[in-house]
Amino acid sequence: MSDFDSITALLKKYDQEHIIKFWNRLSEKEKEFLLEDIRELNIPEVVGMFKKTVETMNANHQKLDNRMNPIPAELYGAVNRSPKELLIKYEQIGLEQISQGKVGVLLMAGGQGTRLGVNYPKGMYDIGLPSHKSLYRIQGERIRCLIRLANKDFGSSKGLPWFIMTSEHTMEPTRKYFKENNYFGLDEKQIYFFDQYMLPAFTFDGKIIMEGLNKISKSPDGNGGIYKALRDRNILDEIKRLGVQYLHAHSVDNILVKVADPIFIGYCITKNAECGAKVVEKAYPSEPLGVVCEVDGKFQVVEYSEITETTAEKRNPDGRLTFSAGNICNHFFTTDFLNSVAHKYNSKLKLHVAKKKISFVNDDGIVCKPEEPNGIKMEKFIFDVFEFCNRLAVWEVERDEEFSALKNADVPNGKDNPKTSRLDVFSLHRKFVEKSGGQFTTENIECEISPLLSYAGEGLTHLVDGRIFNSLLELKSAEEISTNSSNVN
């Protein structure tokens, strides 16, 4: 039986023969492209996933109120409720592990900048800071700063490996961007790119959607696809070879993210956690942030839509919301737990559904753009592994210091856009300067501190103490000042 015959038989078995409906209209090159597209999909697996998804969609979803409990207090720490001495202890534990090469960073960078109005990876985006540094550069320089701090405190540093998950669309632009920018001064050999898998879009009656005569409509499998990608792209093997025991995972679009945060890492290690979630306190009961909690004795992120208003508004005796741990896609994992998830539980991860308007090829072979949702895209979420975790540690941080999402293009009174991200950076960096003895004449002065100079506001006193600033303040590292000077004609 030829390859085409075997694929035809497979498609017929799973009621997907329409994929090759226009076979006779394709060139030889187009035919080979389509065959490769089909081979890359595991048809039995994705059709099975669709059926599982439909069952989930059709299930009678009851509110989870009576099944929910807050995270146990002994596993729920917070920056603003911890004494300074304890924070220093956590930080030193984290820095020591970094110095020994036992910590790695998992960056989820599969997103395009489409909603920001650009056609390149979101990680390459410049939000308009005085330095014009991109998200990738800022995070890369934070890694460099941590390596320096670990070396300073513990006399050596074996590096901080950076594992970057892209998508099919962002892989090559990201690789090229890193190379053109000399990997932001990091060791190229400690940066590992791998791409997540793609899942096909389905019509509501279970047909895989074709976006062209010879091309299947696909989209990334969500940030929860990281587990399959780590396993099948052999990244877990590389992590083991390097001796990395702990990983900090986060998405690329948080301008304030503390990459490989040593305090968070130290806290999770102290709690003997397999998995950790960094959270912010919900600003108000109906804020659309999922909350980390227990459901039927297992850890879970529950969306606001899954509980009643009464439960969302519940408060503790101290006045704080009972379910206040707002999830921000910022996690700690042990390597052992990642291996366990990848090899034992990946197939058990939930599938989440988004009903979308998806371009499709009609019966006449014409590409159409629907006016109403005509299909579904499936994805997995990174936090859905919480239920497989025996010991989860939750660490609450200050929102204005660690969380500012970049999702949307600038519009008047908009949220989570370049302007709000930029203002959040200025506000935090002014706070760093003021804590170090500097002052500003007004509260709206732009202030940017290079990640190469300071990781979280440390080491600024000799630069700002006793000084008053009345205009733009951009603090750079000696390396940057020297480079800029050498570039002056």
Side-chain angles (χ1 to χ4, degrees):
M1 182 182 285
S2 70
D3 190 23
F4 176 72
D5 288 339
S6 62
I7 284 178
T8 301
L10 178 70
L11 295 177
K12 185 174 182 179
K13 180 179 179 181
Y14 290 93
D15 199 21
Q16 304 293 333
E17 308 101 295
H18 66 283
I19 290 176
I20 53 173
K21 178 176 182 177
F22 300 103
W23 184 258
N24 293 330
R25 289 169 56 174
L26 304 179
S27 67
E28 289 305 311
K29 188 174 182 180
E30 289 170 335
K31 288 177 179 178
E32 186 51 45
F33 183 90
L34 178 55
L35 287 177
E36 188 58 32
D37 223 12
I38 297 168
R39 288 188 202 104
E40 285 181 359
L41 284 183
N42 183 329
I43 294 291
E45 181 181 57
V46 296
V47 170
M49 289 171 72
F50 173 78
K51 290 179 179 176
K52 180 180 173 184
T53 300
V54 169
E55 291 171 5
T56 303
M57 286 172 60
N58 294 336
N60 181 19
H61 293 295
Q62 297 179 333
K63 298 291 184 180
L64 298 177
D65 302 55
N66 296 331
R67 298 161 55 196
M68 289 172 56
N69 284 301
I71 295 294
E74 69 272 15
L75 297 178
Y76 193 164
V79 168
N80 66 2
R81 296 193 293 277
S82 299
K84 185 177 180 181
E85 302 75 34
L86 191 56
L87 295 177
I88 291 172
K89 175 190 170 185
Y90 292 152
E91 183 177 49
Q92 287 298 296
I93 290 171
L95 284 174
E96 184 175 19
Q97 297 303 309
I98 289 170
S99 77
Q100 295 174 4
K102 293 180 180 178
V103 176
V105 176
L106 275 177
L107 175 64
M108 292 167 281
Q112 288 276 44
T114 311
R115 283 168 64 183
L116 294 168
V118 297
N119 62 356
Y120 49 78
K122 189 184 282 189
M124 292 165 55
Y125 193 81
D126 164 16
I127 66 168
L129 294 172
S131 67
H132 292 289
K133 291 178 179 179
S134 66
L135 296 170
Y136 279 145
R137 177 171 287 280
I138 289 168
Q139 291 169 30
E141 291 183 353
R142 286 190 177 133
I143 290 174
R144 282 185 61 191
C145 189
L146 270 181
I147 292 171
R148 174 175 58 81
L149 290 173
N151 187 57
K152 174 175 170 284
D153 285 4
F154 294 94
S156 65
S157 180
K158 294 182 178 179
L160 186 50
W162 200 5
F163 305 94
I164 301 170
M165 184 176 77
T166 68
S167 66
E168 179 182 277
H169 305 296
T170 62
M171 172 63 89
E172 287 313 311
T174 295
R175 279 184 178 276
K176 182 180 178 185
Y177 183 73
F178 271 64
K179 186 174 182 180
E180 288 174 347
N181 286 274
N182 195 32
Y183 301 91
F184 316 119
L186 290 163
D187 182 355
E188 175 188 355
K189 293 177 182 176
Q190 289 218 320
I191 299 176
Y192 303 83
F193 300 98
F194 63 105
D195 58 333
Q196 66 189 114
Y197 285 86
M198 308 287 281
L199 286 175
F202 281 83
T203 61
F204 296 125
D205 60 355
K207 302 288 188 182
I208 291 174
I209 295 175
M210 300 297 292
E211 69 175 49
L213 297 184
N214 72 322
K215 186 167 177 58
I216 294 169
S217 177
K218 293 182 289 187
S219 57
D221 58 358
N223 56 29
I226 196 166
Y227 306 109
K228 176 180 172 67
L230 284 169
R231 181 191 68 200
D232 294 353
R233 309 297 194 199
N234 299 318
I235 299 298
L236 282 175
D237 293 338
E238 194 63 28
I239 288 171
K240 182 179 179 181
R241 184 188 70 80
L242 292 167
V244 171
Q245 296 180 14
Y246 312 106
L247 292 120
H248 181 215
H250 63 87
S251 55
V252 76
D253 57 3
N254 176 8
I255 192 71
L256 299 184
V257 66
K258 290 178 70 176
V259 183
D261 177 11
I263 294 176
F264 181 41
I265 290 166
Y267 169 75
C268 290
I269 290 173
T270 301
K271 293 298 179 183
N272 195 30
E274 297 176 302
C275 181
K278 188 178 277 195
V279 300
V280 296
E281 184 173 7
K282 288 189 71 168
Y284 50 93
S286 61
E287 183 180 14
L289 270 183
V291 293
V292 183
C293 60
E294 282 188 337
V295 177
D296 297 333
K298 293 183 178 181
F299 302 115
Q300 187 175 323
V301 173
V302 171
E303 300 298 338
Y304 172 68
S305 59
E306 296 178 302
I307 57 176
T308 63
E309 187 177 333
T310 302
T311 294
E313 292 178 347
K314 267 187 187 175
R315 294 187 181 271
N316 299 331
D318 62 4
R320 296 177 67 245
L321 290 172
T322 301
F323 297 103
S324 64
N327 183 53
I328 58 172
C329 193
N330 193 311
H331 306 297
F332 164 94
F333 300 108
T334 65
T335 300
D336 287 344
F337 180 68
L338 279 181
N339 270 294
S340 178
V341 168
H343 292 100
K344 283 195 211 170
Y345 303 119
N346 184 62
S347 62
K348 298 180 182 179
L349 285 180
K350 296 174 187 172
L351 285 162
H352 298 264
V353 178
K355 296 182 180 181
K356 298 280 188 178
K357 292 183 282 188
I358 305 167
S359 295
F360 66 98
V361 174
N362 69 12
D363 289 338
D364 298 318
I366 298 170
V367 177
C368 304
K369 291 188 176 180
E371 295 183 0
E372 300 292 333
N374 64 315
I376 67 170
K377 292 185 177 181
M378 302 179 294
E379 60 181 347
K380 296 177 181 179
F381 293 163
I382 190 169
F383 56 71
D384 281 332
V385 298
F386 288 179
E387 66 174 293
F388 308 120
C389 169
N390 292 317
R391 192 168 178 86
L392 175 78
V394 175
W395 183 242
E396 184 184 295
V397 297
E398 297 294 301
R399 186 186 300 239
D400 63 353
E401 294 185 359
E402 296 202 37
F403 183 56
S404 179
L406 178 64
K407 304 289 185 185
N408 310 308
D410 275 327
V411 294
N413 303 314
K415 294 185 352 182
D416 299 338
N417 58 38
K419 181 180 179 181
T420 58
S421 293
R422 195 165 58 246
L423 292 177
D424 287 342
V425 171
F426 294 155
S427 176
L428 176 61
H429 289 193
R430 284 195 301 269
K431 184 192 293 186
F432 287 160
V433 169
E434 288 166 348
K435 282 185 177 179
S436 297
Q439 296 180 49
F440 293 93
T441 53
T442 62
E443 64 179 21
N444 60 353
I445 290 174
E446 296 182 1
C447 175
E448 181 186 5
I449 301 167
S450 169
L452 291 176
L453 176 64
S454 179
Y455 178 78
E458 77 290 338
L460 302 177
T461 304
H462 70 289
L463 294 172
V464 303
D465 189 23
R467 297 180 62 187
I468 299 175
F469 303 99
N470 57 16
S471 61
L472 166 67
L473 176 61
E474 186 179 0
L475 296 176
K476 302 178 180 180
S477 68
E479 172 191 321
E480 290 168 302
I481 293 170
S482 172
T483 301
N484 289 344
S485 299
S486 65
N487 289 336
V488 175
N489 292 323

